[in-house]
């Protein structure tokens, strides 16, 4: 199996990318200007909403922890807080991760 992969990589390396026939296509990423502006606006709004949801989640989890301590109840608030903080990290790193993978 590894020899097949090796031969396939040699075939791909031997292909001239400038050749119009038989070459590996390299698509150009150029979206129309108005569409790119609208997409960037929507993504900016979604990023803001995700950040606001994360802040609200941390505040609500903190309030629930305070109320349950006041009542003398024990609950799994740390796991809930961990999930909220994990979501915050995911929202904060979504843009850089996509830029790293696709750029």
């Amino acid at each position: 199996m590894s020899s097949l992969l090796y031969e396939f990589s040699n075939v791909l390396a031997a292909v001239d990318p400038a050749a119009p026939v038989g070459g590996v296509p390299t698509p150009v990423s150029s979206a129309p200007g108005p569409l790119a502006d609208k997409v960037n606006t929507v993504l900016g709004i979604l990023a803001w909403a995700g950040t606001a949801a994360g802040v609200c989640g941390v505040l609500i989890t903190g309030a629930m922890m305070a109320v349950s301590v006041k009542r003398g109840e024990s609950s799994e608030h740390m796991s809930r807080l961990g999930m909220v903080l994990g979501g915050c990290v995911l929202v904060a790193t979504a843009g850089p991760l996509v830029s790293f993978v696709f750029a």
Side-chain angles (χ1 to χ4, degrees):
M1 182 67 174
S2 64
S3 63
L4 180 64
L5 290 175
Y6 179 74
E7 289 300 321
F8 183 68
S9 66
N10 285 339
V11 169
L12 285 179
V15 173
D16 183 17
V21 177
V24 177
T26 54
V28 178
S29 62
S30 60
L35 177 64
D37 292 339
K38 290 178 182 179
V39 169
N40 285 334
T41 301
V42 169
L43 289 176
I45 291 170
L46 288 175
W48 180 86
T51 303
V55 170
C56 287
V58 170
L59 290 174
I60 290 170
T61 303
M64 289 175 69
M65 289 171 75
V67 168
S68 67
V69 165
K70 181 76 171 173
R71 290 181 183 173
E73 300 171 350
S74 63
S75 185
E76 300 273 337
H77 293 295
M78 292 309 286
S79 64
R80 189 174 299 154
L81 182 63
M83 288 192 300
V84 169
L85 293 178
C88 291
V89 168
L90 186 63
V91 167
T93 59
L97 281 175
V98 170
S99 296
F100 175 74
V101 170
F102 292 113

